[in-house]
Amino acid sequence: VGKLPSNLRLAPCTQVLPYLPNGVRPLGRSRIGLRCAQGTAHWNVSMPVTVRLWAASLVATAALPAGTVLEARHLASAEVDLAERSDPAIGNSAAAIGRTLQRSLSAGDALRQADLKTRQMFSAGDTVRIVGNGPGYAVSSEGQAMGPGLEGQNVRVRTESGRIITGTATATRRVEVAL
């Protein structure tokens, strides 16, 4: 918890209510609001806080330059502060091995989703499997990709009937659509 400015003079208060201001991310460097609910004068201030969230994740075992194709020897498991950056840390080596680094990592740096190059699952014009998932069922069909399928990103696909739908590229030549 940080400190309020020393030159700030607040009226006495018998009931201070903490709250999280709208749009504030409650992880990493952040702030909380403090509001006087019962006192001689009502006031409202914000106080800086730093919230850390520690969990096991993958870290670089040595300095790795951008463009490195990750191998098991490049990674180790360690406790990292997940709140340090907004992008998710990668804890599963299967999700990292064989992937290419988009930026350099120093020894001990946590491996984050944004550190890896996005994989292209298919190209524009490729025939792809469209899988529609609903509660308790799934249907599939084929279609033609109208743009490149980048992992985890939306892509438009023309179905066999000519209809254009938008789904998420999830695997090699596979697009998932929530029903």
Side-chain angles (χ1 to χ4, degrees):
V1 176
K3 295 183 179 190
L4 293 173
S6 59
N7 62 345
L8 186 63
R9 301 288 177 229
L10 299 174
C13 186
T14 58
Q15 185 180 13
V16 177
L17 299 175
Y19 67 94
L20 188 62
N22 288 337
V24 172
R25 183 175 169 255
L27 291 174
R29 292 181 56 136
S30 189
R31 60 189 171 89
I32 59 169
L34 300 173
R35 180 181 303 131
C36 179
Q38 289 181 341
T40 57
H42 294 287
W43 44 260
N44 189 6
V45 295
S46 65
M47 177 177 285
V49 295
T50 301
V51 178
R52 292 194 169 108
L53 177 63
W54 295 92
S57 181
L58 295 176
V59 297
T61 56
L64 301 172
T68 300
V69 177
L70 294 175
E71 299 174 12
R73 66 184 175 90
H74 294 136
L75 304 169
S77 184
E79 291 285 315
V80 300
D81 181 8
L82 299 180
E84 185 177 51
R85 286 179 32 196
S86 61
D87 58 327
I90 298 176
N92 180 354
S93 60
I97 292 176
R99 302 280 304 271
T100 304
L101 284 178
Q102 183 166 285
R103 68 173 195 92
S104 299
L105 293 178
S106 298
D109 281 355
L111 181 64
R112 304 285 183 146
Q113 192 68 42
D115 297 335
L116 301 174
K117 286 188 177 179
T118 303
R119 292 186 277 197
Q120 184 169 334
M121 302 311 216
F122 49 85
S123 299
D126 285 353
T127 299
V128 297
R129 165 94 21 220
I130 305 165
V131 178
N133 294 310
Y137 70 95
V139 294
S140 68
S141 175
E142 286 190 343
Q144 183 179 32
M146 297 181 69
L150 302 177
E151 181 182 34
Q153 296 184 12
N154 286 344
V155 63
R156 293 175 1 134
V157 178
R158 183 183 317 276
T159 64
E160 293 171 335
S161 66
R163 186 172 165 213
I164 296 174
I165 60 172
T166 301
T168 305
T170 58
T172 304
R173 295 182 182 251
R174 181 182 171 108
V175 175
E176 292 190 10
V177 179
L179 300 176

